[in-house]
Amino acid sequence: MKYRPIGRSSLKASVVTFGAMGIGGGFRYPDADDAVSVRAVRAALDRGINVIDTAPVYGFGHSEEVIGEAIRGRRDDVIVATKCGLWWGDDEGSYRFTWDGHAVKRNLSPRTIRIEVEESLRRLGTDRIDIYYTHNPAMPPFMTPIEDTIATLIELRDEGKILTIGASNCPPEDVETYLAHDAIEIVQRRYSLLARGVRDDILPLCASTGLSLHAYSPLANGLLTGAFTRSTPPARAGSRRDDPLFGDRFGAAMDLVEGLTAVASSLGTTPGALAIAYLLASSDAVNVICGIRRESHLDDIIAGAGLDIDASVTAVLDELAQDFEAAAPVTA
């Protein structure tokens, strides 16, 4: 396993992260099995993956509880990342969505952050959180000033309850504000061969300032694993229910997947492993979050972490991605 620093911090992270959204269960992952999830987490640790990424909203605390069970006795071997800001404790905040009967709001007020961090510490069974993200920026009508949010995070860092601050799904101007207060080491955004928007803004900013980019959905909800074909697309359910890659962009995406599969075959690897290696090759600032629900998911991910690709391979994959972007442009 290869390791890279998290921003300018002392944390040394495996280049791939265990993404724990799926182990939270709920309507998006109704077949989640806690025993299977615990085995998957422990197998990942045994194979060198030392970062686990979760959030309270993943199963409304259940993902954190499963992780707490899985890492018991191994806490010092793990970098735990969780989040705040998607709040369902009361009616305060800007309504975002309803999952499993919970009305979830965006709320980054000092009051709710304080509550959330204590609840996460309890569920995880730990005395500190290694990376603590704001899950999404504030949105109208409930707009906590970003400076108030940052001040609370710095207080929690000074108290030792969190070690490193991150921001998820935020625009570059928010990152600049965090940087101005010396209150960020890592940014989390979607990044894959089928979603390369971070190359235009966040990735260059991370590379120039020493921050890390935590890339989520690197396999595009499984599409880049090569598991699906044009004639056998997955059902649009769970995490794929609202994803346009499985709707009006599916045909163009499959053109890319078929090209990716051909390149992977020529290299003696899998499309999933190659898709991960492509992201890692794009910048030393990148760390890749891979959704893992069972031990069998680890093989492609470990292979991708160890796969070195040269500029000629990257160029071919860039061309495939550019063709996809031209055929299926993102619309507002």
Side-chain angles (χ1 to χ4, degrees), residues 22 34 37 54 76 84 89 120 124 135 137 140 152 157 172 179 181 194-195 204 218 222 235 237 240 289 293 302 321:
D34 291 352
S37 299
T54 186
D76 291 341
C84 62
S120 289
L124 290 162
H135 205 148
T152 304
R157 185 177 65 186
L179 281 166
H181 292 82
L194 291 166
R240 300 186 182 100
I289 305 173
R293 299 175 60 206
I302 299 296

Side-chain angles (χ1 to χ4, degrees), residues 78-99:
V78 187
I79 296 170
V80 175
T82 192
K83 307 175 184 74
C84 62
L86 290 180
W87 168 254
W88 67 93
D90 56 34
D91 291 335
E92 184 182 85
S94 300
Y95 176 78
R96 187 68 184 90
F97 51 74
T98 296
W99 281 2

Side-chain angles (χ1 to χ4, degrees), residues 235-249:
R236 295 199 72 187
S239 61
R240 300 186 182 100
R241 62 200 298 258
D242 300 317
D243 191 336
L245 289 174
F246 296 90
D248 56 9
R249 306 180 86 203

